[in-house]
Amino acid sequence: MKIIRTVKEMQDWSDGIRSTRRIGFVPTMGYLHEGHLSLVRKAREMGDVTVVSIFVNPMQFGPEEDLVTYPRDFNSDSEMLEKEKTDIIFYPEAQDMYPQRYTTIIQVRGLEDHLCGRTRTGHFIGVATVVAKLFNIVKPHFAVFGQKDYQQLKIIERMTKDLNMDVEIVPCPTVREQDGLAMSSRNTYLSQEERKKALLIYKSIGTVETLFRQGEHHAPTLIEKAKEILGSEAGMDIEYVSICDKDTLEDIDEIKESAILAIACRVGRTRLIDNTILMED
Ligand code: AMP
């Protein structure tokens, strides 16, 4: 496994290999867990060489957010990636990614107006911009993203299509802890008590799925039920519970076609998100 620290070296490596080998790419912010590793395994399965980037992207954090405290552990990450037989870790410095006088941004309009985009102003501009840059640097044939960050996945799919980027986007299902909590690097912020409360998210998803299967297709009724469960403990702040179209992310009233349930909550100071697909196309 090779660790590449500069944009130039990464581009040179990819140029040398791209015409003969299929490059699979997994962008991450590090502090890796089984969720990330499931994407790496998918990339290994589909491609010839696997590149994983570790970059805590300043552009996608708001001024009040956790850029400085975001968990980092490069040694543990690289050990895990070595075990997964990753070929390259791309681990750039922020100054190399965003040198002085950097100004260009990518905005995927419309999709960013829903769910997390409503409160995290500019977040998806930061995400789209860094992913576009990483695609130009790593030059992958395909890139693997988790459905855990559903809106991010949809925005990246839209961006690649709209900008004719020659990269296939491969979605992967959410990996959960044994008790159902969606794995996230931010789970490390949770105290024991908060960790228990966080389970209400999974519980509310399960209840909505059951009610939906039993024939309840009225979104506001399902949302109310989820909110009741989430609100049953103090210290759980609901940011949103949304039932929306799987592709446009626009709110739905009566579920007739493709739909997802998406939730964002703050447990103490930790912001957690989760989602499930209620109805495929
Ligand atoms: P992050 O390091 O949080 O930026 O995530 C990097 C990639 O891992 C993104 O494509 C995420 O959607 C994906 N990911 C994060 N958590 C999970 C999970 N629990 N299951 C599957 N994929 C995940």
Side-chain angles (χ1 to χ4, degrees), residues 5 17 64 81 99 180 183 206 225:
R5 303 251 20 210
I17 209 162
E64 307 290 311
L81 293 174
M183 288 193 179
K225 192 71 212 171

Side-chain angles (χ1 to χ4, degrees), residues 26-30 32-36 38-39 60 70 144-149 152 172-176 182-186:
V26 182
T28 82
M29 297 206 297
L32 304 180
H33 50 65
E34 276 297 314
H36 297 111
S38 72
L39 312 187
Q60 71 189 65
Y70 193 84
V144 190
F145 288 84
Q147 276 169 350
K148 152 92 181 3
D149 299 277
Q152 167 172 289
C172 268
T174 300
V175 176
R176 299 177 178 282
M183 288 193 179
S184 162
S185 305
R186 289 190 169 98

Side-chain angles (χ1 to χ4, degrees), residues 27-222:
T28 82
M29 297 206 297
Y31 212 71
L32 304 180
H33 50 65
E34 276 297 314
H36 297 111
L37 299 184
S38 72
L39 312 187
V40 176
R41 284 171 204 142
K42 183 74 186 170
R44 287 241 316 141
E45 195 183 295
M46 288 181 58
D48 302 314
V49 287
T50 304
V51 179
V52 178
S53 65
I54 296 179
F55 181 58
V56 182
N57 173 35
M59 203 198 267
Q60 71 189 65
F61 286 78
E64 307 290 311
E65 294 184 356
D66 56 346
L67 172 63
V68 176
T69 54
Y70 193 84
R72 294 160 169 91
D73 189 344
F74 183 75
N75 288 341
S76 152
D77 289 348
S78 53
E79 267 174 36
M80 286 189 221
L81 293 174
E82 177 98 63
K83 277 197 196 121
E84 297 298 329
K85 302 194 165 52
T86 303
D87 296 282
I88 303 287
I89 302 180
F90 177 50
Y91 182 43
E93 304 269 6
Q95 299 93 300
D96 199 13
M97 291 293 283
Y98 300 111
Q100 262 196 345
R101 293 201 289 276
Y102 183 91
T103 61
T104 306
I105 57 169
I106 293 191
Q107 182 173 24
V108 181
R109 294 172 301 174
L111 283 177
E112 64 163 17
D113 299 337
H114 308 285
L115 307 178
C116 299
R118 285 203 180 124
T119 47
R120 300 191 74 187
T121 314
H123 169 68
F124 288 110
I125 289 179
V127 169
T129 303
V130 80
V131 171
K133 284 171 66 64
L134 288 166
F135 283 179
N136 284 331
I137 296 165
V138 175
K139 310 181 194 206
H141 294 87
F142 67 92
V144 190
F145 288 84
Q147 276 169 350
K148 152 92 181 3
D149 299 277
Y150 190 84
Q151 187 172 17
Q152 167 172 289
L153 169 67
K154 289 292 129 181
I155 283 175
I156 299 305
E157 281 176 351
R158 186 78 257 159
M159 174 187 78
T160 39
K161 223 180 214 159
D162 286 355
L163 296 182
N164 310 97
M165 292 176 168
D166 193 10
V167 183
E168 182 193 350
I169 304 303
V170 180
C172 268
T174 300
V175 176
R176 299 177 178 282
E177 301 286 357
Q178 264 187 350
D179 60 6
L181 180 68
M183 288 193 179
S184 162
S185 305
R186 289 190 169 98
N187 290 351
T188 185
Y189 295 147
L190 299 169
S191 68
Q192 253 181 356
E193 200 185 319
E194 289 169 342
R195 172 71 181 72
K196 274 190 212 141
K197 280 183 199 163
L199 258 193
L200 291 175
I201 301 173
Y202 183 62
K203 192 173 164 202
S204 63
I205 286 180
T207 303
V208 169
E209 280 175 338
T210 306
L211 290 172
F212 179 72
R213 273 200 306 272
Q214 289 168 351
E216 179 57 81
H217 287 191
H218 185 235
T221 306
L222 293 168

